[in-house]
Amino acid sequence: MAHVHRISIALSCAAVLVVLSASGGFAASTEGLSPSVATVAERLRTEALAGTESYDVVRSLTFEVGPRSAGSAGDARAVAWATEKLKALGFKNVHTEPVEVPHWERGRNAGMILSPWPQPVVLTALGGSTASPAGGIEAEVVGVATLDDLKKLDPAQAKGKIVFVSNHMERKSDGSGYGAAVAVRGVGASEAAKRGAVGLLIRSVGTDSNRLPHTGAMRIIEGEPTVPAAALSAPDSDLLEAELASGKPVRFRLELETKRFPNAQSANVIGEIPGLDAGTAKEEFILLGAHLDSWDLGTGAIDDGAGCGIVIETARRIGQLPPAERPKRTIRVVLFANEEFGLSGGRAYAQAHEAELPRHFASAEADFGAGHVVRIKTRIAPSALPEFAKIAEIAKPLGVAFSDVNNSGGGADISTLASANVPVISFDQDGTEYFDLHHSANDTIDKIDPKDLDQVVAAWTGVIYAVAAGALELRPAPALTERE
Amino acid sequence: MAHVHRISIALSCAAVLVVLSASGGFAASTEGLSPSVATVAERLRTEALAGTESYDVVRSLTFEVGPRSAGSAGDARAVAWATEKLKALGFKNVHTEPVEVPHWERGRNAGMILSPWPQPVVLTALGGSTASPAGGIEAEVVGVATLDDLKKLDPAQAKGKIVFVSNHMERKSDGSGYGAAVAVRGVGASEAAKRGAVGLLIRSVGTDSNRLPHTGAMRIIEGEPTVPAAALSAPDSDLLEAELASGKPVRFRLELETKRFPNAQSANVIGEIPGLDAGTAKEEFILLGAHLDSWDLGTGAIDDGAGCGIVIETARRIGQLPPAERPKRTIRVVLFANEEFGLSGGRAYAQAHEAELPRHFASAEADFGAGHVVRIKTRIAPSALPEFAKIAEIAKPLGVAFSDVNNSGGGADISTLASANVPVISFDQDGTEYFDLHHSANDTIDKIDPKDLDQVVAAWTGVIYAVAAGALELRPAPALTERE
């Protein structure tokens, strides 16, 4: 059913496009743009909607590389793959920039409810979790509903026990249920440890009901107490809740054979579509970012193979324009190392390119799966907003709205550029199903509808081209507020 | 979305019921039935649709017992659970009957594509598979599309290799895609072994795209060659297909730490709702069957916890009728041992009750999940069909059709009664999503909508009551044809 749903959205976008083109209503709405820029931007959009190679990029990355968590053998293969791929697709200045990354491996993870009703359960370690002692931890479980309840838990109740936080994540199309649900993944283990607990279990931070747990980074602070921590799949969390509801003592065995290795070397992979100003002192950059690493459980199709496919294909299509239509600004694609486990790539980029950041004209990141774009948001000079709204009109026939709240963070990796007030353009995607898959073994390419990716690339190519080729100054962006 | 879909069906059934009751159209359609029997049957149906305890039975079985494959500790707990549950629900003559069952355990199962693109894959042993040698089998993979292609495979192509059969199962509401797809699970390993292969991989026999493989019995014939055999999840099967499509040699490591133990003792669990003729020479039985065992990966909610809930609740509700409305025939609930791995329970029942089978007035089995009933079918004396069609009208307001093809097998367990020509009544359920879950870790209670189970019990109680209390002779059933 999900598949049908996605197709119908893609079709309805196409239908809207046809209607607006026929009525001539579209040209009027972008009249503030230079006619030549608008014409090329609209053509890029229309051509992309008819079919792109973004899905092929994701397919290649997920099949030929697969899982690629920071520091793993897959990570190194991904860097080699990306370098080759960018070269093969005609990018210029393709190179890697070194990034030191943490290296943690999951190993074997197992859990068992021992009593009152013996049940094997499906769980996975939180990213960075310490290992359990050999043979596992056996302890009674104390259940709490939320992180707040954990923070209020009397240490006498927690001491020697495994704390279980059963909080459910809410499904929302913009993914806004994630923020509320994910906090316990970050700090739950240290909060449990502070109270004398010996382990932490959480309900997976996800919206599906598959027997597939969701991993994700937990906060590790050198010298602070922590405990082995794991996420149960949704049905297994239901099971543990039911055992606790029986009122009988619930005993649990948790075995996490995780390993922390010395930091490893990875790399940001960078390629460019040079603008007309390339090689001159006037050269400016539009940074299109996605992250190359993934968690280890799936093949990283939606997180963030899709993002890699979107930014690579957007730049490639702009790069294929005839010389007379080339934008003056350079499109720089950055495939960041290790977004998942500490933003190492984003930080390394910001540091290595500090002197160059004033010449970063704008930035955009794709890291929210493969759903269609529903909305464009920005963080740009407020004075540029009225004119930018006209650029955003390019994506309107795709069913894409424009929001002028102008406080977009843009994405984790490019948030590291915030200190230099680099402008941000965000293409918000439909995330209704994103957290069904995110950080789980189910993050595989079969969950992506190529038509959705085409719509995303249609929105990106049209708008990014207009920004890269146009006269509108977007700098300086206002400071990033807490709101996003 | 699936959840919403199920609710809407339940609501539309309720709506139909209201409309027909209001128009008085319903009474006319069952006029061939004795008015008193029809009245009680319709009341049973209406009351069940308003809410039953069938879901609670499934919940109790799946949470308090969980996985219960033949011969396992869970199997023994399930027998104890069922005995207690039937007694607690007021059944009479509650007892167990011994069944010898095979005992096979899965152990650790792992797979890895070694080259050209290293990828860990998710797989599970087929039920009964032999173990791989310690450290696993490493071999090149030869891919074929179907079982027929495997049967045509040149031994020179298969020798020393792992055969992979990539055939996809088709999704159909009546589950009829299963028959075509499942054959390779049964005989694939022996066909591969005959050709000198060292292992078998199949695409899971299922219709989902989750990273959860589906197990199920393979045919084991003493003395015949076989090889370790496993099913890949759908996305992993896609992955292996893509690697083979690269044209490069694909090497695979398969580790199956399965174990076959000596046969174990299990039991059919039986309880009765005695009819008015109970204890006399005239006593006749309506056998309502489901199977108590499950595969080990899930908690056996749809296969066949749902069936247990349906037959237990159907009998219990008939047992609560006031004395004046009690049917003359006895409702006998049989929760069969080991359906999954060789039909031991069904065979043992047929053998132990051979002399009594002529007094088995009818039989019905629930073993197709928790979807709503769409159709009633039979295998009864052909002369009884026109009158039986009137009994089937009782379920019509629930959206249930009647098919008079009269060749129903009824279910695996009760197929063992076919030699005695015991009549069969089948309540065909919607199986659109059944094979998404069947034999996988995803077979858990959260996939069941209680409203669907209520509709099923509504159909069963009305029709089974009418059969148990009515005058229509259903015997002898015609021989079971190959058609079903």
Side-chain angles (χ1 to χ4, degrees), chain B residues 426-470:
Chain B
S426 291
F427 297 83
D428 290 359
Q429 294 170 251
D430 178 67
T432 308
E433 293 165 358
Y434 182 68
F435 291 103
D436 290 348
L437 310 169
H438 173 257
H439 293 191
S440 84
N442 244 355
D443 181 2
T444 51
I445 182 111
D446 50 293
K447 312 306 186 304
I448 296 182
D449 185 326
K451 284 280 159 212
D452 277 336
L453 277 187
D454 293 342
Q455 187 262 12
V456 177
V457 172
W460 279 67
T461 46
V463 171
I464 295 297
Y465 175 79
V467 168

Side-chain angles (χ1 to χ4, degrees), chain B residues 34 36-41 43-44 90-93 272-280 282-286 314-332 461-462 464-471:
Chain B
S34 129
S36 61
V37 169
T39 301
V40 175
R43 197 185 71 226
L44 282 166
F91 281 76
K92 307 299 178 197
N93 308 331
E272 293 179 346
I273 302 299
L276 295 173
D277 292 342
T280 73
K282 290 195 297 176
E283 184 177 20
E284 292 176 323
F285 304 97
I286 317 270
T314 295
R316 188 190 72 84
R317 294 180 84 86
I318 293 172
Q320 289 197 321
L321 290 170
E325 295 175 345
R326 278 174 65 192
K328 58 188 171 211
R329 299 187 181 89
T330 292
I331 312 284
R332 177 181 285 176
T461 46
I464 295 297
Y465 175 79
V467 168

Side-chain angles (χ1 to χ4, degrees), chain A residues 62 119 209-211 442 447, chain B residues 62 119 209-211 442:
Chain A
T62 57
Q119 292 259 16
S209 60
N210 291 310
R211 207 93 183 267
N442 244 356
K447 313 306 186 303
Chain B
T62 57
Q119 292 260 15
S209 61
N210 291 311
R211 207 91 186 266
N442 244 355

Side-chain angles (χ1 to χ4, degrees), chain B residues 294-324:
Chain B
S294 77
W295 277 108
D296 53 332
L297 297 172
T299 59
I302 66 148
D303 188 13
D304 186 25
C308 295
I310 291 163
V311 299
I312 289 172
E313 179 66 356
T314 295
R316 188 190 72 84
R317 294 180 84 86
I318 293 172
Q320 289 197 321
L321 290 170

